[in-house]
């Protein structure tokens, strides 16, 4: 690792620690293992069917290794460990299991989120495993092998009388904090139309620019509900223990929207990755990985190659 890469990793880890409120001494309190050793990581045997599905003419970036890019954006999906250099989380665990299924060693490359499309198309890595959602626009340039549902979470204060949000009528008359221009806002505006057509009270949408402001609004009682990507709120709930989940929402509502391994269009790698994922689902390893990071709600019944994605809105 170069001095520059090391410094970049430390800087990124510092930013994530500030945003998440996480320090090394606090990691154990969350129920998540954020140590660099990852003693609890789940390992698997190679999957002959997945290996056979690899295209004969595919050349890996590094022979014998699956080079995977991931953007450390925060726990529990992918974040820097307490050593401020090792990337850990649900996505790295999943990447490790996929590499082992293919009989390969994992080479995990931390990147900035904005860099993944160019890095992938230019051949810097074999795949991206970093909470990338399937969209119709992205499918024009990339292939996808799904491995999780893309979910938003509805969370409330731990002592809130609200117990469940699963459909539009459940938020009628409630105040909900969202970010302007987000997918969550788009969906809730559609829910508002349905509620108004049914003669129900509208949703009181409250706009806040960032997660910290949304959480302050919720905890102070200025809003009833916060909605944003599910995994982020799972970690916050485990860390702070003052909010609770009352429901989830597909990022592609009214359709399901999935998160996928992303590979170069036409590389032929996607099919083998789908086979590998379905092997992990079948033998129970997949569920164990999600359970380890408290993301069981995001489980898929099966992996698919290039399924319908979010449309161009």
């Amino acid at each position: 690792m170069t001095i520059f890469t090391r410094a970049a990793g430390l800087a990124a880890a510092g930013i994530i620690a500030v945003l998440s409120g996480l320090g090394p001494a606090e990691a154990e309190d969350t129920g998540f293992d954020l140590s660099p050793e990852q003693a609890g990581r789940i390992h698997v045997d190679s999957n002959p069917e997945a290996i056979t599905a690899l295209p004969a003419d595919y050349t890996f970036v590094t022979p014998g290794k699956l080079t995977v890019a991931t953007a450390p954006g925060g726990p529990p999906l992918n974040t820097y460990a307490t050593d401020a250099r090792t990337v850990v989380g649900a996505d790295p665990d999943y990447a490790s299991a996929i590499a082992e299924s293919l009989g390969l060693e994992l080479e995990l490359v931390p990147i900035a989120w904005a860099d993944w499309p160019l890095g992938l198309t230019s051949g810097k890595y074999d795949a991206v495993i970093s909470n990338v959602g399937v969209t119709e626009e992205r499918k024009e340039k990339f292939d996808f092998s799904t491995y999780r549902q893309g979910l938003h979470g509805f969370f409330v204060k731990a002592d809130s009388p609200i117990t469940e949000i699963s459909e539009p009528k459940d938020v009628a008359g409630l105040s909900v904090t969202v970010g302007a221009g987000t997918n969550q806002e788009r969906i809730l505006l559609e829910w508002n139309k349905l509620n108004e057509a049914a003669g129900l009270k509208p949703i009181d949408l409250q706009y806040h620019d960032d997660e910290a402001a949304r959480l302050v609004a919720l905890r102070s009682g200025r809003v009833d509900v916060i909605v944003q990507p599910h995994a982020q709120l799972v970690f916050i709930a485990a860390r702070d223990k003052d909010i609770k989940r009352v429901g989830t929402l597909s990022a592609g509502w009214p359709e399901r929207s999935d998160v996928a391994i992303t590979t170069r269009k036409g590389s032929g790698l996607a099919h083998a990755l789908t086979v590998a994922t379905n092997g992990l689902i079948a033998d129970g390893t997949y569920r164990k990985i999600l359970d380890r990071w408290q993301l069981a709600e995001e489980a898929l019944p099966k992996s698919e190659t290039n399924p319908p994605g979010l449309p161009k809105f």
Side-chain angles (χ1 to χ4, degrees):
M1 176 178 289
T2 66
I3 293 175
F4 176 80
T5 304
R6 167 69 171 158
L10 287 168
I15 292 170
I16 291 169
V18 170
L19 292 176
S20 65
L22 176 70
E26 298 170 308
E28 295 181 359
D29 296 336
T30 65
F32 295 100
D33 176 13
L34 301 181
S35 69
E37 294 80 13
Q38 291 297 292
R41 175 169 284 172
I42 298 161
H43 295 281
V44 302
D45 295 327
S46 59
N47 180 338
E49 183 182 0
I51 294 172
T52 300
L54 288 169
D57 60 350
Y58 183 81
T59 301
F60 288 96
V61 172
T62 301
K65 294 184 177 183
L66 180 67
T67 302
V68 175
T70 195
L77 295 180
N78 37 37
T79 189
Y80 283 101
T82 51
D83 66 353
R85 61 182 292 173
T86 305
V87 182
V88 300
D91 280 347
D93 271 18
Y94 175 71
S96 172
I98 288 294
E100 291 175 348
S101 294
L102 297 175
L104 300 169
E105 180 183 348
L106 175 64
E107 180 74 23
L108 196 63
V109 181
I111 60 165
W113 169 263
D115 293 344
W116 74 258
L118 180 58
L120 185 57
T121 55
S122 64
K124 288 184 177 180
Y125 21 87
D126 300 300
V128 176
I129 299 180
S130 193
N131 202 41
V132 179
V134 181
T135 71
E136 289 304 307
E137 184 172 10
R138 287 173 179 163
K139 281 167 61 179
E140 295 173 1
K141 297 181 179 179
F142 304 101
D143 286 329
F144 293 95
S145 302
T146 58
Y147 68 98
R148 270 199 351 263
Q149 292 187 62
L151 294 183
H152 300 314
F154 290 109
F155 281 65
V156 299
K157 290 175 66 176
D159 60 357
S160 171
I162 300 168
T163 59
E164 182 179 15
I165 296 176
S166 61
E167 55 185 322
K169 69 178 182 62
D170 295 333
V171 287
L174 298 181
S175 56
V176 181
T177 174
V178 295
T182 61
N183 192 39
Q184 300 95 282
E185 181 202 24
R186 176 191 66 80
I187 295 170
L188 289 174
L189 289 174
E190 291 299 317
W191 281 26
N192 239 344
K193 293 177 183 178
L194 294 173
N195 282 342
E196 290 175 347
L200 300 174
K201 292 182 180 180
I203 305 167
D204 177 19
L205 292 180
Q206 298 288 320
Y207 293 95
H208 298 92
D209 292 336
D210 55 50
E211 179 182 272
R214 289 191 284 276
L215 287 169
V216 168
L218 179 68
R219 288 164 172 155
S220 66
R222 296 200 302 272
V223 299
D224 302 307
V225 183
I226 182 174
V227 56
Q228 64 181 48
H230 173 254
Q232 298 171 358
L233 292 173
V234 165
F235 179 79
I236 292 168
R239 181 191 70 196
D240 299 340
K241 301 176 176 59
D242 62 351
I243 65 173
K244 65 181 180 181
R245 179 180 53 234
V246 292
T248 57
L249 169 69
S250 172
W253 183 90
E255 305 298 330
R256 197 178 74 199
S257 174
D258 294 339
V259 171
I261 311 174
T262 311
T263 51
R264 288 187 295 280
K265 190 75 176 177
S267 69
L269 196 56
H271 174 61
L273 298 175
T274 299
V275 172
T277 298
N278 281 324
L280 297 174
I281 292 172
D283 69 14
T285 302
Y286 170 78
R287 177 67 69 162
K288 290 177 182 178
I289 293 172
L290 291 182
D291 285 345
R292 183 171 187 245
W293 298 99
Q294 301 183 30
L295 296 174
E297 288 76 15
E298 300 190 5
L300 287 174
K302 67 175 182 178
S303 175
E304 297 178 277
T305 301
N306 292 328
L310 282 175
K312 300 177 183 178
F313 293 111

